[in-house]
Amino acid sequence: MTKTDRRPLVGVLALQGDFSEHEARLREAGADTRQIRYASQVADLDGLVIPGGESTAIARLTEEGAAVIFATVKERILEGMPVWGTCMGSIFLAEEIEGSAQGRLAVMSIKVRRNAFGPQKRSFECPLEITGLGEPFPAVFIRAPLITAVGDGVDVLGVLPAELNAGASGIVMARQKNMLVTAFHPELTADLRVHSYFLQMVGEHVSRPLSSTGV
Amino acid sequence: MTRVTKTVETIGKIATGTELVKRSLPAMLKGGVIMDVVNAEQAKIAEEAGAVAVMALERVPADIRADGGVARMSDPELISQIIEAVSIPVMAKARIGHFVEAQILQSLGVDCVDESEVLTPADEQYHIDKNQFDIPFVCGAKNLGEALRRIGEGAAMIRTKGEAGTGDVVEAVRHARTILGEIRRLTVLPKEELMTYAKEIGAPFELVKQVAEEGKLPVVNFAAGGIATPADAALMMQIGVEGVFVGSGIFKSGDPMKRACAIVKATTFYKDPEVLAKVSRNLGEAMVGRSARTLVGDETLAARGW
């Protein structure tokens, strides 16, 4: 990460979901955070997290007054701003959602299956091998999606193996350039490694000289 | 994190129904609106309007008040139809203490059970031992002691009781202010006073200690009971809850779809009076409503449970 006397500023989309947990983890991992509800708050962000929540509820908000925020976010992602979607957030970034035409950003070459494991009684936690992160990560899957196909340029970072008998198996973490998705919720545990990984992406991208002037 | 559930943790295998897994579902619903529905058609309207979850029940509280009689868990057939109809989480109500209704709901595949004072209690002494279940429970509370007793029994989410079916927000405000105020006071108590405080409010000491340290409940905290307008929803959010339940307020109003959308937006943009003014326009008639002060005797649903 660039040596700096300013912490990176990471936005957390705060329309609905567990955005406050993400903020807490990001701050512990060394970032400043901002809750994002309006398009005007996006321009100076160094990175953005789209948290877990209910994708149909968020999709509904995109069709109304909040549409402008999604246009702005999409523009910044296409410019290269690092973005990380957890669970619902990953659905939101996907080019394709199986059996659904719901509103989304459609910026990442992945296909997702919503609620791939079934009702809440099939939600689970398990240790998960993640490429480059060492020890297995305590992954929490809540009515989680699966990534069922990836396009060119997408690196698969985590796979839920069939022998875990979770009711479904497949890709649960992937990255395409500045875009990261996890089907699970690192913000719900004290382990900061995935948040640190994302902040590393943010640090690598920040091109403007970081100064102590703040925001 | 302590595991109070019966799940055995095994390395390399998945663990379902843990305390963490149960408390995490409500965390995903924060900032959202959970709507009461009695059939699949209403559930679809709620989902279309942007509800984060629906609550299946036999009759909405306003009708339970009007019809009288014993209110029970919904017909499993209706619940299955609702689960089929929507992709958002489906919750359903069981009577206080009726652990068999809760077992049935879990087997049907509902995502969360509301052990609810809106239905006629099945047990006036004991609540359900919610730690025995793999799915989360939400329970009503009027004050911090009640909230912590329910969490001690395994509730993964708390809501204010308010007064369901009245369209009068005053009791939800009272209960939210009471719980949040008690939490604030608890954070400044010296350590040596915590045990006596736990005794006074009848709450588990470990939970009292945890709330004193963290300044918040260990589970998500929503408002319920009397929320009928977008402004009501935003009021509860500004007071400090993390989301809202709307019962009779939507499907007992003149234009359910429009009102449901407006309440969803008001819950997201709760601090923005311009948005609130915009979404509050031309909603048609609100539910008729009944002042909570005119309730007499056992009409006060919040008095059910302890």
Side-chain angles (χ1 to χ4, degrees):
Chain A
M1 203 183 267
T2 325
K3 189 169 160 44
T4 171
D5 41 9
R6 179 174 84 75
R7 289 152 66 100
L9 176 63
V10 176
V12 183
L13 194 66
L15 296 175
Q16 193 271 312
D18 68 335
F19 48 85
S20 54
E21 284 83 348
H22 265 300
E23 280 194 281
R25 295 294 95 76
L26 286 165
R27 286 195 294 261
E28 286 163 29
D32 285 333
T33 62
R34 177 190 292 162
Q35 293 186 9
I36 304 297
R37 290 190 177 81
Y38 303 95
S40 60
Q41 299 173 301
V42 177
D44 59 340
L45 295 180
D46 298 317
L48 178 73
V49 172
I50 305 180
E54 277 303 318
S55 62
T56 41
I58 298 286
R60 177 72 202 179
L61 288 166
T62 65
E63 291 156 18
E64 299 184 6
V68 58
I69 198 178
F70 294 100
T72 313
V73 163
K74 186 166 180 170
E75 202 176 299
R76 294 258 9 237
I77 294 172
L78 295 176
E79 282 167 17
M81 175 182 71
V83 62
W84 170 22
T86 55
C87 195
M88 178 272 286
S90 67
I91 294 170
F92 224 71
L93 293 170
E95 266 175 15
E96 197 177 339
I97 306 170
E98 286 186 9
S100 167
Q102 74 181 38
R104 58 189 182 275
L105 295 170
V107 286
M108 187 166 172
S109 308
I110 55 172
K111 181 164 150 186
V112 297
R113 180 179 302 153
R114 300 184 50 202
N115 201 7
F117 300 89
Q120 170 64 13
K121 64 180 171 187
R122 304 264 174 258
S123 293
F124 60 95
E125 51 179 308
C126 72
L128 179 74
E129 300 278 354
I130 296 174
T131 306
L133 286 199
E135 290 285 296
F137 188 86
V140 185
F141 292 83
I142 304 298
R143 287 170 43 93
L146 271 179
I147 299 160
T148 53
V150 297
D152 290 342
V154 178
D155 292 325
V156 173
L157 301 177
V159 175
L160 194 68
E163 58 265 28
L164 285 185
N165 214 6
S169 58
I171 302 166
V172 292
M173 181 167 175
R175 176 177 175 180
Q176 181 179 17
K177 290 183 287 191
N178 57 322
M179 295 174 282
L180 179 69
V181 288
T182 55
F184 53 97
H185 293 281
E187 74 280 11
L188 295 175
T189 58
D191 194 321
L192 294 177
R193 284 178 291 161
V194 181
H195 285 83
S196 298
Y197 177 86
F198 178 66
L199 290 185
Q200 208 177 317
M201 285 170 62
V202 170
E204 285 160 8
H205 172 258
V206 173
S207 50
R208 62 199 164 108
L210 293 171
S211 68
S212 56
T213 50
V215 199
Chain B
M1 176 158 300
T2 54
R3 276 173 221 289
V4 291
T5 60
K6 56 196 163 36
T7 308
V8 182
E9 197 190 11
T10 47
I11 297 298
K13 282 231 175 112
I14 64 160
T16 57
T18 62
E19 187 179 83
L20 175 61
V21 167
K22 290 197 279 188
R23 288 181 179 182
S24 296
L25 175 84
M28 298 309 140
L29 307 180
K30 289 197 292 184
V33 182
I34 299 168
M35 301 182 192
D36 275 3
V37 298
V38 299
N39 56 40
E41 186 194 347
Q42 290 186 353
K44 279 187 190 155
I45 292 174
E47 179 176 50
E48 178 67 17
V52 289
V54 290
M55 173 71 70
L57 74 174
E58 197 185 27
R59 290 169 283 166
V60 294
D63 288 336
I64 291 172
R65 285 186 184 282
D67 302 350
V70 175
R72 312 178 178 90
M73 174 187 81
S74 292
D75 183 334
E77 175 59 28
L78 275 173
I79 292 171
S80 294
Q81 286 172 9
I82 290 169
I83 291 172
E84 278 299 302
V86 297
S87 67
I88 53 178
V90 174
M91 303 184 171
K93 287 187 193 287
R95 285 178 265 177
I96 290 174
H98 207 316
F99 52 87
V100 173
E101 283 188 347
Q103 290 164 1
I104 292 170
L105 292 173
Q106 174 165 283
S107 84
L108 288 173
V110 307
D111 297 297
C112 179
V113 173
D114 183 1
E115 185 182 20
S116 177
E117 71 283 358
V118 168
L119 306 185
T120 311
D123 192 325
E124 296 191 330
Q125 218 177 347
Y126 304 111
H127 285 253
I128 297 171
D129 177 11
K130 294 163 275 287
N131 289 317
Q132 295 303 316
F133 289 79
D134 284 337
I135 57 173
F137 277 68
V138 54
C139 287
K142 302 182 293 294
N143 53 51
L144 183 60
E146 193 173 12
L148 295 183
R149 287 191 291 279
R150 295 295 84 76
I151 295 167
E153 292 161 353
M157 180 180 192
I158 292 295
R159 55 169 176 77
T160 61
K161 285 183 167 175
E163 266 306 325
T166 60
D168 187 349
V169 78
V170 67
E171 294 301 313
V173 168
R174 188 193 319 281
H175 299 160
R177 284 207 182 275
T178 302
I179 293 170
L180 296 168
E182 286 173 321
I183 291 172
R184 282 189 289 267
R185 280 192 293 280
L186 186 48
T187 60
V188 296
L189 284 189
K191 280 202 171 59
E192 66 272 20
E193 295 185 13
L194 294 181
M195 183 59 88
T196 301
Y197 185 78
K199 180 185 172 218
E200 281 168 3
I201 67 168
F205 175 66
E206 289 304 322
L207 288 173
V208 167
K209 219 168 68 174
Q210 188 181 352
V211 172
E213 280 162 13
E214 296 173 2
K216 61 190 283 296
L217 291 179
V219 303
V220 170
N221 181 22
F222 271 43
I227 294 153
T229 69
D232 288 348
L235 173 67
M236 298 313 300
M237 293 296 287
Q238 287 198 27
I239 285 173
V241 301
E242 298 175 294
V244 298
F245 286 84
V246 185
S248 321
I250 289 171
F251 290 100
K252 283 288 157 187
S253 73
D255 188 342
M257 184 63 176
K258 198 167 177 191
R259 184 166 294 266
C261 288
I263 293 177
V264 167
K265 278 208 110 176
T267 305
T268 300
F269 297 99
Y270 67 93
K271 282 193 251 181
D272 188 334
E274 277 179 39
V275 173
L276 298 175
K278 199 172 134 213
V279 302
S280 299
R281 282 172 199 267
N282 297 318
L283 291 182
E285 276 181 54
M287 66 178 285
V288 176
R290 176 168 173 193
S291 165
R293 276 187 176 274
T294 65
L295 301 175
V296 289
D298 61 4
E299 288 186 314
T300 309
L301 302 180
R304 295 170 170 181
W306 56 275

